Amino acid sequence: MGDGAGDGGSMAHFQLHTGALIPAIGLGMWPGYSQEEKGRAGATVKAAVAAGYRHIDCASVYGNEKDIGLALQEIFLSGAVTRGDLWITSKLWNSDHDRVQEACDQTLQDLQLDYLDLYLIHWPVRVKEHYQQEDGTRKTEIVPLQLDETWKQMEQLVRTGRVRAIGVSNFSSKKIDHLLANATIVPAVNQVECHPVWQQKALHDYCTSKAIHLSGYSPLGNWGPKVLGHPIVKEIADKLSKSPAQVALRWGIQMGHSVLPKSSNPDRLKENLDILGWSIPDEDFQKLSGIQQERLIKGTNWVNDTSPYKRVEDLWDE
């Protein structure tokens, strides 16, 4: 993969099997469930680029790509950076597996871009949306994944120049094996939950063996204090005079993952970027390896009696 997994130096990029260099630190644009946060997307992107971020991680389902597109145009017009200076990722939503090109074109239109650096299948989940004629409500039905067909459409995006690289998100090694059986283009990236409390070592090793780069979302464990409040993370942070967030992010870089923290706070944006040029010593890194593991993002939305996934374990192939 040639991604130069963290050597304690100033690794700023990881090299994908395409030859492209993905920035090691990106800004996650998921707004959570806050409309206020959603409305700050443009301002957050402008502040992040000014602080030094060059990797913006978007998705159509986040509902803020139009605002991000307006911000990007302001940034480009200001001359602060060019399009080639930024790495922009977006993702195909579950309801768009049968219309990949149209979904990608909508994202490009919303972001006001000619191409994406990376486009991911957001989940190994395919849904159909039905409108109830009686009352006008919408019903979402989770239907069997047709991965080969979806991936063929993803590959076509590369051939037509809409995207530079394609990949997946929330995929187990078993699902990637299924995809690879008939793929012409190997996924460049698998973006998954990854942090010291859910380290994904087996998946990391598998992806490395297939030249697939692992990118970590929610690298700070955004679902409560289980990562940043963990005693071992806090102990190492105190020892190194760093914040728990910096330790969690630096752990990812040293593991060879790109990391995608999210924040709209200007001070935290800068703090999260300050994870290069220093390293976690080997003995402390080993302590992090001993943390009891727990998946925090379980994907329960895609599990029910009528879904192809009857149990959470089915979704993750555990």
Side-chain angles (χ1 to χ4, degrees), residues 8-31:
S10 56
M11 170 61 66
H13 298 83
F14 293 102
Q15 186 172 29
L16 304 183
H17 71 63
T18 63
L21 297 175
I22 186 171
I25 309 164
L27 179 68
M29 292 308 302
W30 181 61

PDB file of all heavy atoms in Angstrom, residues 8-31:
ATOM      1  N   GLY A   8       6.421   8.052  13.627  1.00  0.00           N
ATOM      2  CA  GLY A   8       6.764   9.002  14.662  1.00  0.00           C
ATOM      3  C   GLY A   8       7.200  10.331  14.099  1.00  0.00           C
ATOM      4  O   GLY A   8       7.528  11.245  14.841  1.00  0.00           O
ATOM      5  N   GLY A   9       7.230  10.455  12.790  1.00  0.00           N
ATOM      6  CA  GLY A   9       7.657  11.693  12.155  1.00  0.00           C
ATOM      7  C   GLY A   9       6.480  12.542  11.747  1.00  0.00           C
ATOM      8  O   GLY A   9       5.450  12.568  12.404  1.00  0.00           O
ATOM      9  N   SER A  10       6.635  13.226  10.631  1.00  0.00           N
ATOM     10  CA  SER A  10       5.622  14.199  10.220  1.00  0.00           C
ATOM     11  C   SER A  10       4.831  13.706   9.024  1.00  0.00           C
ATOM     12  O   SER A  10       4.634  14.428   8.055  1.00  0.00           O
ATOM     13  CB  SER A  10       6.295  15.538   9.891  1.00  0.00           C
ATOM     14  OG  SER A  10       7.294  15.353   8.907  1.00  0.00           O
ATOM     15  N   MET A  11       4.415  12.433   9.067  1.00  0.00           N
ATOM     16  CA  MET A  11       3.618  11.865   7.984  1.00  0.00           C
ATOM     17  C   MET A  11       2.347  12.683   7.796  1.00  0.00           C
ATOM     18  O   MET A  11       1.495  12.750   8.677  1.00  0.00           O
ATOM     19  CB  MET A  11       3.268  10.407   8.322  1.00  0.00           C
ATOM     20  CG  MET A  11       2.246   9.770   7.394  1.00  0.00           C
ATOM     21  SD  MET A  11       2.779   9.682   5.690  1.00  0.00           S
ATOM     22  CE  MET A  11       4.132   8.532   5.827  1.00  0.00           C
ATOM     23  N   ALA A  12       2.218  13.326   6.646  1.00  0.00           N
ATOM     24  CA  ALA A  12       1.061  14.177   6.385  1.00  0.00           C
ATOM     25  C   ALA A  12       0.082  13.534   5.417  1.00  0.00           C
ATOM     26  O   ALA A  12      -1.033  13.998   5.272  1.00  0.00           O
ATOM     27  CB  ALA A  12       1.516  15.532   5.845  1.00  0.00           C
ATOM     28  N   HIS A  13       0.507  12.467   4.733  1.00  0.00           N
ATOM     29  CA  HIS A  13      -0.326  11.792   3.745  1.00  0.00           C
ATOM     30  C   HIS A  13      -0.100  10.283   3.831  1.00  0.00           C
ATOM     31  O   HIS A  13       0.922   9.824   4.341  1.00  0.00           O
ATOM     32  CB  HIS A  13       0.018  12.243   2.320  1.00  0.00           C
ATOM     33  CG  HIS A  13      -0.202  13.689   2.057  1.00  0.00           C
ATOM     34  ND1 HIS A  13       0.735  14.651   2.387  1.00  0.00           N
ATOM     35  CD2 HIS A  13      -1.241  14.348   1.494  1.00  0.00           C
ATOM     36  CE1 HIS A  13       0.274  15.842   2.034  1.00  0.00           C
ATOM     37  NE2 HIS A  13      -0.926  15.685   1.493  1.00  0.00           N
ATOM     38  N   PHE A  14      -1.058   9.548   3.287  1.00  0.00           N
ATOM     39  CA  PHE A  14      -0.887   8.124   3.044  1.00  0.00           C
ATOM     40  C   PHE A  14      -1.094   7.889   1.549  1.00  0.00           C
ATOM     41  O   PHE A  14      -1.980   8.497   0.939  1.00  0.00           O
ATOM     42  CB  PHE A  14      -1.897   7.300   3.845  1.00  0.00           C
ATOM     43  CG  PHE A  14      -1.680   7.353   5.330  1.00  0.00           C
ATOM     44  CD1 PHE A  14      -2.482   8.157   6.131  1.00  0.00           C
ATOM     45  CD2 PHE A  14      -0.687   6.594   5.928  1.00  0.00           C
ATOM     46  CE1 PHE A  14      -2.279   8.216   7.502  1.00  0.00           C
ATOM     47  CE2 PHE A  14      -0.481   6.644   7.305  1.00  0.00           C
ATOM     48  CZ  PHE A  14      -1.282   7.459   8.091  1.00  0.00           C
ATOM     49  N   GLN A  15      -0.288   7.013   0.986  1.00  0.00           N
ATOM     50  CA  GLN A  15      -0.413   6.738  -0.446  1.00  0.00           C
ATOM     51  C   GLN A  15      -1.389   5.593  -0.679  1.00  0.00           C
ATOM     52  O   GLN A  15      -1.253   4.517  -0.102  1.00  0.00           O
ATOM     53  CB  GLN A  15       0.936   6.397  -1.068  1.00  0.00           C
ATOM     54  CG  GLN A  15       0.860   6.251  -2.585  1.00  0.00           C
ATOM     55  CD  GLN A  15       2.228   6.112  -3.225  1.00  0.00           C
ATOM     56  OE1 GLN A  15       3.161   5.607  -2.615  1.00  0.00           O
ATOM     57  NE2 GLN A  15       2.356   6.557  -4.465  1.00  0.00           N
ATOM     58  N   LEU A  16      -2.378   5.833  -1.537  1.00  0.00           N
ATOM     59  CA  LEU A  16      -3.338   4.800  -1.911  1.00  0.00           C
ATOM     60  C   LEU A  16      -2.769   3.942  -3.040  1.00  0.00           C
ATOM     61  O   LEU A  16      -1.790   4.322  -3.691  1.00  0.00           O
ATOM     62  CB  LEU A  16      -4.655   5.446  -2.362  1.00  0.00           C
ATOM     63  CG  LEU A  16      -5.328   6.402  -1.372  1.00  0.00           C
ATOM     64  CD1 LEU A  16      -6.649   6.896  -1.948  1.00  0.00           C
ATOM     65  CD2 LEU A  16      -5.528   5.744  -0.021  1.00  0.00           C
ATOM     66  N   HIS A  17      -3.404   2.811  -3.310  1.00  0.00           N
ATOM     67  CA  HIS A  17      -2.908   1.952  -4.383  1.00  0.00           C
ATOM     68  C   HIS A  17      -3.065   2.609  -5.758  1.00  0.00           C
ATOM     69  O   HIS A  17      -2.454   2.173  -6.733  1.00  0.00           O
ATOM     70  CB  HIS A  17      -3.582   0.569  -4.357  1.00  0.00           C
ATOM     71  CG  HIS A  17      -5.027   0.543  -4.764  1.00  0.00           C
ATOM     72  ND1 HIS A  17      -5.476   0.886  -6.022  1.00  0.00           N
ATOM     73  CD2 HIS A  17      -6.138   0.194  -4.072  1.00  0.00           C
ATOM     74  CE1 HIS A  17      -6.783   0.738  -6.091  1.00  0.00           C
ATOM     75  NE2 HIS A  17      -7.212   0.328  -4.915  1.00  0.00           N
ATOM     76  N   THR A  18      -3.852   3.668  -5.823  1.00  0.00           N
ATOM     77  CA  THR A  18      -3.987   4.425  -7.075  1.00  0.00           C
ATOM     78  C   THR A  18      -2.782   5.327  -7.323  1.00  0.00           C
ATOM     79  O   THR A  18      -2.636   5.886  -8.412  1.00  0.00           O
ATOM     80  CB  THR A  18      -5.246   5.304  -7.041  1.00  0.00           C
ATOM     81  OG1 THR A  18      -5.087   6.275  -5.981  1.00  0.00           O
ATOM     82  CG2 THR A  18      -6.496   4.488  -6.791  1.00  0.00           C
ATOM     83  N   GLY A  19      -1.955   5.501  -6.292  1.00  0.00           N
ATOM     84  CA  GLY A  19      -0.849   6.447  -6.360  1.00  0.00           C
ATOM     85  C   GLY A  19      -1.178   7.787  -5.731  1.00  0.00           C
ATOM     86  O   GLY A  19      -0.282   8.580  -5.456  1.00  0.00           O
ATOM     87  N   ALA A  20      -2.462   8.055  -5.524  1.00  0.00           N
ATOM     88  CA  ALA A  20      -2.880   9.331  -4.932  1.00  0.00           C
ATOM     89  C   ALA A  20      -2.476   9.397  -3.462  1.00  0.00           C
ATOM     90  O   ALA A  20      -2.379   8.370  -2.776  1.00  0.00           O
ATOM     91  CB  ALA A  20      -4.387   9.503  -5.072  1.00  0.00           C
ATOM     92  N   LEU A  21      -2.261  10.610  -2.984  1.00  0.00           N
ATOM     93  CA  LEU A  21      -1.891  10.839  -1.594  1.00  0.00           C
ATOM     94  C   LEU A  21      -3.090  11.412  -0.845  1.00  0.00           C
ATOM     95  O   LEU A  21      -3.506  12.551  -1.092  1.00  0.00           O
ATOM     96  CB  LEU A  21      -0.713  11.817  -1.514  1.00  0.00           C
ATOM     97  CG  LEU A  21       0.597  11.347  -2.150  1.00  0.00           C
ATOM     98  CD1 LEU A  21       1.641  12.461  -2.099  1.00  0.00           C
ATOM     99  CD2 LEU A  21       1.126  10.084  -1.464  1.00  0.00           C
ATOM    100  N   ILE A  22      -3.645  10.632   0.070  1.00  0.00           N
ATOM    101  CA  ILE A  22      -4.785  11.094   0.865  1.00  0.00           C
ATOM    102  C   ILE A  22      -4.244  11.738   2.141  1.00  0.00           C
ATOM    103  O   ILE A  22      -3.398  11.157   2.824  1.00  0.00           O
ATOM    104  CB  ILE A  22      -5.743   9.916   1.196  1.00  0.00           C
ATOM    105  CG1 ILE A  22      -7.014  10.427   1.906  1.00  0.00           C
ATOM    106  CG2 ILE A  22      -5.075   8.835   2.006  1.00  0.00           C
ATOM    107  CD1 ILE A  22      -8.094   9.358   2.052  1.00  0.00           C
ATOM    108  N   PRO A  23      -4.680  12.968   2.454  1.00  0.00           N
ATOM    109  CA  PRO A  23      -4.189  13.612   3.679  1.00  0.00           C
ATOM    110  C   PRO A  23      -4.489  12.762   4.914  1.00  0.00           C
ATOM    111  O   PRO A  23      -5.565  12.171   5.038  1.00  0.00           O
ATOM    112  CB  PRO A  23      -4.958  14.939   3.702  1.00  0.00           C
ATOM    113  CG  PRO A  23      -5.237  15.227   2.257  1.00  0.00           C
ATOM    114  CD  PRO A  23      -5.519  13.877   1.649  1.00  0.00           C
ATOM    115  N   ALA A  24      -3.519  12.701   5.804  1.00  0.00           N
ATOM    116  CA  ALA A  24      -3.641  11.852   6.988  1.00  0.00           C
ATOM    117  C   ALA A  24      -4.742  12.325   7.934  1.00  0.00           C
ATOM    118  O   ALA A  24      -5.329  11.526   8.653  1.00  0.00           O
ATOM    119  CB  ALA A  24      -2.304  11.810   7.731  1.00  0.00           C
ATOM    120  N   ILE A  25      -5.007  13.628   7.936  1.00  0.00           N
ATOM    121  CA  ILE A  25      -6.009  14.199   8.836  1.00  0.00           C
ATOM    122  C   ILE A  25      -7.090  14.867   7.989  1.00  0.00           C
ATOM    123  O   ILE A  25      -6.789  15.704   7.129  1.00  0.00           O
ATOM    124  CB  ILE A  25      -5.392  15.247   9.777  1.00  0.00           C
ATOM    125  CG1 ILE A  25      -4.152  14.685  10.467  1.00  0.00           C
ATOM    126  CG2 ILE A  25      -6.416  15.711  10.809  1.00  0.00           C
ATOM    127  CD1 ILE A  25      -3.276  15.745  11.089  1.00  0.00           C
ATOM    128  N   GLY A  26      -8.324  14.487   8.221  1.00  0.00           N
ATOM    129  CA  GLY A  26      -9.440  15.095   7.503  1.00  0.00           C
ATOM    130  C   GLY A  26     -10.457  15.662   8.471  1.00  0.00           C
ATOM    131  O   GLY A  26     -10.408  15.381   9.679  1.00  0.00           O
ATOM    132  N   LEU A  27     -11.377  16.430   7.942  1.00  0.00           N
ATOM    133  CA  LEU A  27     -12.457  17.003   8.742  1.00  0.00           C
ATOM    134  C   LEU A  27     -13.750  16.267   8.435  1.00  0.00           C
ATOM    135  O   LEU A  27     -14.247  16.309   7.307  1.00  0.00           O
ATOM    136  CB  LEU A  27     -12.624  18.486   8.424  1.00  0.00           C
ATOM    137  CG  LEU A  27     -13.749  19.198   9.178  1.00  0.00           C
ATOM    138  CD1 LEU A  27     -13.415  19.304  10.667  1.00  0.00           C
ATOM    139  CD2 LEU A  27     -14.011  20.585   8.592  1.00  0.00           C
ATOM    140  N   GLY A  28     -14.292  15.575   9.430  1.00  0.00           N
ATOM    141  CA  GLY A  28     -15.576  14.903   9.260  1.00  0.00           C
ATOM    142  C   GLY A  28     -16.711  15.913   9.290  1.00  0.00           C
ATOM    143  O   GLY A  28     -16.796  16.733  10.206  1.00  0.00           O
ATOM    144  N   MET A  29     -17.612  15.839   8.316  1.00  0.00           N
ATOM    145  CA  MET A  29     -18.673  16.836   8.183  1.00  0.00           C
ATOM    146  C   MET A  29     -20.043  16.344   8.641  1.00  0.00           C
ATOM    147  O   MET A  29     -21.039  17.028   8.427  1.00  0.00           O
ATOM    148  CB  MET A  29     -18.750  17.319   6.731  1.00  0.00           C
ATOM    149  CG  MET A  29     -17.549  18.129   6.265  1.00  0.00           C
ATOM    150  SD  MET A  29     -17.123  19.508   7.365  1.00  0.00           S
ATOM    151  CE  MET A  29     -18.649  20.445   7.380  1.00  0.00           C
ATOM    152  N   TRP A  30     -20.099  15.171   9.286  1.00  0.00           N
ATOM    153  CA  TRP A  30     -21.391  14.732   9.823  1.00  0.00           C
ATOM    154  C   TRP A  30     -21.834  15.717  10.900  1.00  0.00           C
ATOM    155  O   TRP A  30     -21.092  15.969  11.861  1.00  0.00           O
ATOM    156  CB  TRP A  30     -21.264  13.332  10.417  1.00  0.00           C
ATOM    157  CG  TRP A  30     -22.549  12.800  10.963  1.00  0.00           C
ATOM    158  CD1 TRP A  30     -23.702  12.579  10.286  1.00  0.00           C
ATOM    159  CD2 TRP A  30     -22.820  12.422  12.320  1.00  0.00           C
ATOM    160  NE1 TRP A  30     -24.675  12.090  11.124  1.00  0.00           N
ATOM    161  CE2 TRP A  30     -24.159  11.986  12.383  1.00  0.00           C
ATOM    162  CE3 TRP A  30     -22.052  12.413  13.487  1.00  0.00           C
ATOM    163  CZ2 TRP A  30     -24.753  11.540  13.565  1.00  0.00           C
ATOM    164  CZ3 TRP A  30     -22.644  11.972  14.671  1.00  0.00           C
ATOM    165  CH2 TRP A  30     -23.985  11.535  14.692  1.00  0.00           C
ATOM    166  N   PRO A  31     -23.051  16.293  10.771  1.00  0.00           N
ATOM    167  CA  PRO A  31     -23.480  17.308  11.739  1.00  0.00           C
ATOM    168  C   PRO A  31     -24.138  16.735  12.982  1.00  0.00           C
ATOM    169  O   PRO A  31     -24.625  17.497  13.820  1.00  0.00           O
ATOM    170  CB  PRO A  31     -24.489  18.126  10.924  1.00  0.00           C
ATOM    171  CG  PRO A  31     -25.115  17.123  10.005  1.00  0.00           C
ATOM    172  CD  PRO A  31     -24.005  16.142   9.660  1.00  0.00           C
TER     173      PRO A  31
END
